[in-house]
Amino acid sequence: MAERCEDRGERGLVRRITEILGISEKDDCAMLEYGEKQLVWTTDMLHRRADFPEIATPRQIGWMTVAVNLSDVAAMGAVPLGLLVAAGIPPGTEVDFVEDLFAGMKDCARAFKTRVIGGDLDSHHELTLVGTALGEVENDLILRRQGARPGDLLCTTGTLGSAGAGLRIALAAEGDGGEEINDDQERLVLTRRLLEPVPRMREGRALALSRSVTSMMDNSDGLALSLFDLAEASGAGFLVFEDEIPVDPLVARVAEDEGDALDLALTAGGDFELVFTVSPDRIDWARRACDLTVIGEVLEERKIVIKSDRGEKALEPRGYQHMTGPERPQ
């Protein structure tokens, strides 16, 4: 029986495709040197059924289409120059929906000092949106997934798990086995964090200017998978301090218990924070650049373990993937 994409999984399939194309390294964006700067490109495809819960408004769908691309630009320490959007829209879609959809794209782009400059429109049986963002960053400031060194400190911006908690609430609203909470304000906060992610543009740029970061990426697929991606790129490992992981306080309102809250922070994805490593002698510079939490350190040995008062255990490479299938440590 021929191997199927779901057997290999998203990351396994990406590795094979990059081999075919001759791409030796994978970062949040592709790069092209242009004088004293690097141009960075990223693209992301989103589908109505796979990526947007039923409760998502047209404006939120548009916002997310732009935000997920800008998050990749932020992870390179770059400044956004503009976005292209290709939209496949079912012919029966109401015009008001389309107008609100593109208004959401405009709002997100404008919030982060850029704009949608063009794209393509076509008909499709399912709403399909492809965003492409362009940015620029100085050659000596660009941040990449590779570069973590043993002894570096592992850090993250923001708090983790709220998007995963928001998804549970969204699924409950659809009657699909999610979790309900009684506080309308808390429900609104968590679902907005899921549907209106905030790309860390300011933080990414400030960290690049601080010259303190040795490697970085966004954690859109979850912290655990992001650590495996960083480890693979740098040929290193990580020791993660469980008690230092900044689980969003609201996650406890949805989680079944403390372990479930931690699992949401590690594997649910959708938070769009930055996870990065910092040279110990530059940590004060990184702290001046943005609010951060030190959650671990880089190991020379290629293993990823999480430490608590119960001891150490291997961290599993679980998180969001478009292709179902096992994710194996490298």
Side-chain angles (χ1 to χ4, degrees):
M1 182 177 177
E3 184 182 19
R4 297 174 299 182
C5 293
E6 63 182 357
D7 298 325
R8 187 165 293 200
E10 179 185 348
R11 278 165 168 72
L13 193 58
V14 168
R15 292 186 193 106
R16 180 59 186 134
I17 291 170
T18 54
E19 289 174 1
I20 293 170
L21 296 177
I23 300 171
S24 59
E25 296 161 344
K26 185 177 182 295
D27 288 284
D28 287 55
C29 294
M31 304 172 296
L32 181 65
E33 187 171 346
Y34 188 74
E36 296 180 354
K37 294 187 176 182
Q38 294 277 348
L39 296 179
V40 299
W41 283 278
T42 184
T43 188
D44 218 306
M45 181 183 299
L46 302 172
H47 302 281
R48 184 66 179 92
R49 286 184 298 232
D51 296 294
F52 304 109
E54 287 297 322
I55 65 170
T57 67
R59 180 189 174 277
Q60 288 173 328
I61 293 173
W63 177 284
M64 184 178 287
T65 301
V66 169
V68 298
N69 284 280
L70 290 182
S71 182
D72 286 340
V73 174
M76 307 293 287
V79 176
L81 297 175
L83 299 105
L84 299 174
V85 176
I89 299 176
T93 304
E94 295 181 357
V95 172
D96 286 348
F97 182 101
V98 177
E99 290 176 346
D100 288 347
L101 174 73
F102 280 88
M105 295 181 193
K106 178 181 178 180
D107 289 345
C108 184
R110 184 166 53 187
F112 299 101
K113 299 180 180 178
T114 189
R115 62 193 182 103
V116 177
I117 57 177
D120 186 35
L121 183 67
D122 202 347
S123 63
H124 199 275
H125 69 277
E126 178 186 9
L127 179 66
T128 301
L129 302 165
V130 181
T132 301
L134 173 65
E136 65 175 8
V137 57
E138 296 84 350
N139 287 329
D140 61 339
L141 293 182
I142 193 166
L143 299 175
R144 306 186 60 186
R145 294 183 181 185
Q146 66 180 34
R149 302 176 298 239
D152 285 352
L153 301 176
L154 175 64
C155 308
T156 183
T157 58
T159 59
L160 307 177
S162 57
L167 179 59
R168 287 194 180 178
I169 294 169
L171 292 175
E174 297 172 16
D176 195 21
E179 296 289 335
E180 293 190 33
I181 59 176
N182 295 323
D183 191 304
D184 288 340
Q185 185 59 36
E186 290 181 353
R187 183 185 298 109
L188 178 63
V189 169
L190 287 170
T191 54
R192 286 190 66 179
R193 289 181 183 173
L194 168 69
L195 301 171
E196 301 175 33
V198 177
R200 298 300 183 184
M201 304 303 304
R202 182 190 65 79
E203 292 86 347
R205 183 60 180 166
L207 286 167
L209 291 169
S210 76
R211 300 179 184 272
S212 58
V213 173
T214 55
S215 67
M216 186 160 78
M217 66 179 294
D218 81 355
N219 74 336
S220 54
D221 293 335
L223 177 62
L225 277 184
S226 299
L227 293 180
F228 277 85
D229 288 338
L230 279 179
E232 181 179 3
S234 295
F238 293 105
L239 173 64
V240 182
F241 306 131
E242 180 180 306
D243 292 341
E244 300 302 322
I245 296 173
V247 182
D248 192 293
L250 285 180
V251 172
R253 303 282 286 139
V254 173
E256 297 174 359
D257 51 40
E258 186 175 341
D260 185 41
L262 177 66
D263 195 60
L264 283 171
L266 285 171
T267 68
D271 290 316
F272 291 94
E273 297 295 343
L274 298 173
V275 57
F276 53 100
T277 57
V278 175
S279 177
D281 62 348
R282 300 287 294 178
I283 188 63
D284 289 341
W285 289 90
R287 291 188 188 280
R288 293 188 192 106
C290 69
D291 291 333
L292 61 86
T293 303
V294 176
I295 61 171
E297 60 188 40
V298 181
L299 303 176
E300 184 173 1
E301 185 179 355
R302 291 191 61 180
K303 64 179 182 178
I304 301 178
V305 294
I306 185 166
K307 182 179 181 179
S308 68
D309 56 8
R310 301 178 299 279
E312 294 182 6
K313 65 178 182 179
L315 185 65
E316 297 180 21
R318 295 187 296 119
Y320 183 81
Q321 293 193 83
H322 288 282
M323 301 285 181
T324 58
E327 188 62 32
R328 302 175 179 85
Q330 296 304 299

